[in-house]
């Protein structure tokens, strides 16, 4: 009998059917609605996080189109989004970013939708290219792990002979014979497209794995009962526990390889060459890989952003105040659980809980009547070219302009007779004519010319503006000879 696989045992599959989000989506009554919408919005256009309002409008339009075929649905678009993002469903992940709420598809939901997509009967199924891929991968593993010098030399010699024979044939004939026919080219192109798309799908699961690693570390921190110094030693000894995991090392290797400029140029040139081949012209529009590099970068950047957020959460978890709050919450929960256990055999008779406040009741007739919103009427008269005869442009020439050179001259006049002078003394000789704008000009002039600001001494400056006396209080400012422009 074949060896039993624990992942295909009856008990494991029964638990998956009850608890796994992907299986929960497949057996839901409205699975066609959710799966079709997820594919249309997330998987088809290869999008990640979508702003809540944009996703709500997209679902509203999607439900409207479906209503014409199936009739009214039981819930509103907002209710559907909230329900799908609930932990009991686990199909959408709701998170906050820069003050706005976003939704993203979870890895289990993507797996369920892609499995439904795989049920579609394909017109062309390539097998030869995948067989060659298997052989090439196995050969690569065998060759790159073999430390026998004779084996390596034999392999390199055989490759050298093949290359030499091909070079000789080209030199003799002047022609290059294609190594692949049209069917093989099409088959390999579709396999490359499927693999490239699968990489995008894997990023959601990679991100979820990182979150699971973080939850494990957070649980260890919360349950820590020894000293904080030992906790910090544990965390810092594994200073980057997420990136040093197998998942993290693989992702970082992918990121470094993807961000190399020579790799980006090589991928761009190769895609242009491949998509111009005659054998793929019939499928290149539907299976184009022209934007795959940008989509990889966006998806990988989202994972990098998640890594940064999770690292910040780990640092916050180590904080002493946060640990104290977490432990207090856990103690309250344990207290409630113990009291619930004590009450389990006592029945429901008797007083269980007292409420200090009474519930507020609002009767239907106490509510305000509906008032239709007032429509704003906007008038958009046609613009006509004017001749300047109507209206006045005098206000344009009545703007307040502070001449800083004039202010400098006022200060310089008084500094010609003494070594230093205060702003109050300057204003006593040259009163303010433009009010606060001119006073502000003096302050700017003082800051740029390193004048002395005395913080513990204030000056009360009285000036007139439009027939009224005004008072300004500021730090004492002293202009000195030889400082800056003086």
């Amino acid at each position: 009998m074949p060896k039993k696989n624990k992942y295909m045992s009856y008990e494991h599959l029964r638990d998956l059917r009850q608890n796994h989000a992907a299986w929960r989506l497949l057996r839901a009554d409205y699975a066609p609605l959710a799966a079709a919408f997820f594919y249309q919005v997330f998987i088809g256009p290869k999008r990640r996080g979508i702003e809540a309002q944009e996703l709500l409008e997209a679902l509203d339009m999607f439900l409207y189109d479906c209503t014409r075929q199936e009739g009214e649905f039981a819930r509103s678009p907002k209710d559907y989004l909230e329900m799908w993002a609930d932990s009991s469903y686990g199909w959408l992940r709701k998170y906050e970013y820069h003050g706005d709420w976003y939704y993203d598809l979870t890895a289990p939901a993507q797996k369920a939708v892609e499995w439904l997509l795989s049920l579609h009967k394909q017109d062309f199924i390539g097998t030869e290219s995948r067989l060659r891929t298997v052989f090439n991968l196995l050969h690569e593993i065998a060759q790159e792990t073999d430390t026998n010098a004779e084996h390596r030399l034999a392999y390199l010699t055989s490759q050298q002979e093949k290359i030499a024979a091909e070079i000789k044939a080209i030199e003799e004939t002047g022609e290059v014979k294609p190594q692949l026919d049209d069917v093989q080219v099409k088959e390999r192109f579709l396999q490359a497209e499927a693999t490239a798309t699968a990489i995008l799908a894997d990023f959601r699961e990679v991100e979820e794995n990182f979150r699971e690693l973080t939850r494990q570390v957070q649980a260890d921190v919360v349950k820590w009962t020894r000293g904080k110094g030992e906790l910090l030693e544990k965390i810092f000894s594994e200073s980057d526990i997420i990136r040093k995991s197998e998942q993290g090392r693989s992702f970082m290797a992918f990121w470094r390889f993807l961000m190399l400029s020579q790799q980006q140029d090589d991928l761009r040139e190769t895609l242009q060459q491949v998509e111009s081949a005659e054998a793929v012209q019939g499928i290149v529009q539907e299976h184009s890989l022209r934007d795959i590099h940008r989509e990889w970068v966006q998806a990988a950047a989202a994972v990098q952003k998640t890594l940064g957020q999770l690292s910040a959460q780990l640092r916050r978890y180590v904080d002493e105040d946060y640990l104290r709050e977490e432990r207090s919450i856990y103690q309250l929960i344990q207290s409630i659980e113990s009291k619930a256990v004590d009450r389990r055999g006592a029945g429901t008779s008797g007083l269980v809980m007292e409420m200090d406040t009474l519930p507020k009741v609002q009767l239907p007739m106490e509510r305000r009547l509906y008032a239709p919103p007032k429509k704003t009427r906007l008038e958009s008269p046609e613009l006509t070219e004017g001749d300047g005869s109507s209206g006045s442009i005098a206000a344009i020439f009545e703007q307040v302009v502070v001449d800083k050179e004039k202010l400098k001259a006022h200060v310089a006049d008084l500094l010609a007779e003494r070594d230093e002078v205060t702003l109050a003394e300057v204003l006593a000789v040259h009163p303010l004519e433009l009010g606060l704008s001119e006073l502000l000009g003096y302050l700017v002039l003082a800051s740029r010319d390193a004048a002395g600001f005395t913080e513990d001494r204030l000056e009360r400056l009285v000036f007139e503006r439009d027939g009224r006396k005004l008072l300004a209080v500021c730090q004492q400012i002293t202009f000195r000879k030889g400082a800056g422009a003086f």
Side-chain angles (χ1 to χ4, degrees), residues 248-460:
R249 292 200 302 269
S250 177
F251 171 75
M252 295 309 299
F254 171 88
W255 178 258
R256 287 192 297 268
F257 184 83
L258 180 64
M259 298 309 294
L260 289 176
S261 58
Q262 56 267 32
Q263 299 295 342
Q264 298 177 14
D265 296 338
D266 177 65
L267 177 62
R268 190 180 302 107
E269 295 172 1
T270 304
L271 285 176
Q272 292 177 355
Q273 180 181 354
V274 169
E275 293 190 351
S276 62
E278 183 178 354
V280 299
Q281 290 304 308
I283 59 175
V284 71
Q285 294 298 329
E286 184 179 357
H287 302 275
S288 178
L289 292 175
R290 188 167 302 171
D291 297 330
I292 193 63
H293 176 268
R294 176 179 56 81
E295 293 164 356
W296 279 344
V297 171
Q298 291 178 350
V303 178
Q304 288 279 28
K305 181 179 69 177
T306 300
L307 281 175
Q309 294 173 349
L310 298 182
S311 298
Q313 289 180 8
L314 286 180
R315 289 194 297 270
R316 186 166 60 94
Y317 264 81
V318 178
D319 182 75
E320 183 177 0
D321 294 335
Y322 189 84
L323 285 174
R324 188 181 300 112
E325 294 174 2
E326 281 288 303
R327 292 197 179 99
S328 300
I329 294 174
Y330 272 88
Q331 291 173 359
L332 289 175
I333 294 175
Q334 292 175 356
S335 174
I336 294 174
E337 290 176 346
S338 62
K339 292 180 179 179
V341 172
D342 295 338
R343 293 288 306 176
R344 180 181 299 172
T348 58
S349 60
L351 183 62
V352 177
M353 182 174 63
E354 294 182 355
M355 296 182 62
D356 296 334
T357 59
L358 296 176
K360 294 182 179 180
V361 179
Q362 186 178 16
L363 299 177
M365 298 305 295
E366 294 178 349
R367 302 174 184 173
R368 296 178 57 186
L369 297 177
Y370 171 76
K374 296 182 179 180
K375 296 183 178 180
T376 302
R377 300 184 61 182
L378 301 177
E379 296 183 0
S380 301
E382 183 179 357
L383 297 177
T384 57
E385 183 180 0
D387 55 3
S389 59
S390 60
S392 175
I393 61 174
I396 298 177
F397 304 99
E398 295 178 355
Q399 300 295 319
V400 176
V401 179
V402 177
D403 188 354
K404 295 182 180 180
E405 295 299 325
K406 183 178 179 181
L407 302 184
K408 284 185 179 181
H410 292 166
V411 177
D413 288 344
L414 296 180
L415 289 178
E417 303 175 356
R418 64 186 79 172
D419 293 335
E420 60 182 31
V421 61
T422 63
L423 177 59
E425 294 172 340
V426 174
L427 297 182
V429 179
H430 303 283
L432 294 178
E433 299 177 355
L434 302 177
L436 288 178
S437 300
E438 189 174 355
L439 177 60
L440 182 60
Y442 277 111
L443 297 179
V444 173
L445 181 64
S447 63
R448 291 181 178 179
D449 289 330
F453 287 80
T454 306
E455 297 182 358
D456 57 350
R457 186 177 301 175
L458 299 178
E459 286 186 332
R460 304 170 67 86

Side-chain angles (χ1 to χ4, degrees), residues 111-129:
K111 285 185 177 181
V113 176
E114 289 179 343
W115 183 81
L116 293 173
L117 184 63
S118 67
L119 298 180
H120 172 68
K121 183 178 180 180
Q122 302 180 20
D123 298 331
F124 175 76
I125 300 177
T127 55
E128 185 263 347
S129 64

Side-chain angles (χ1 to χ4, degrees), residues 38-48 50 294-295:
F38 293 159
Y39 180 82
Q40 176 178 310
V41 175
F42 290 100
I43 299 178
K46 300 181 179 65
R47 294 192 63 182
R48 297 296 302 253
I50 300 179
R294 176 179 56 81
E295 293 164 356

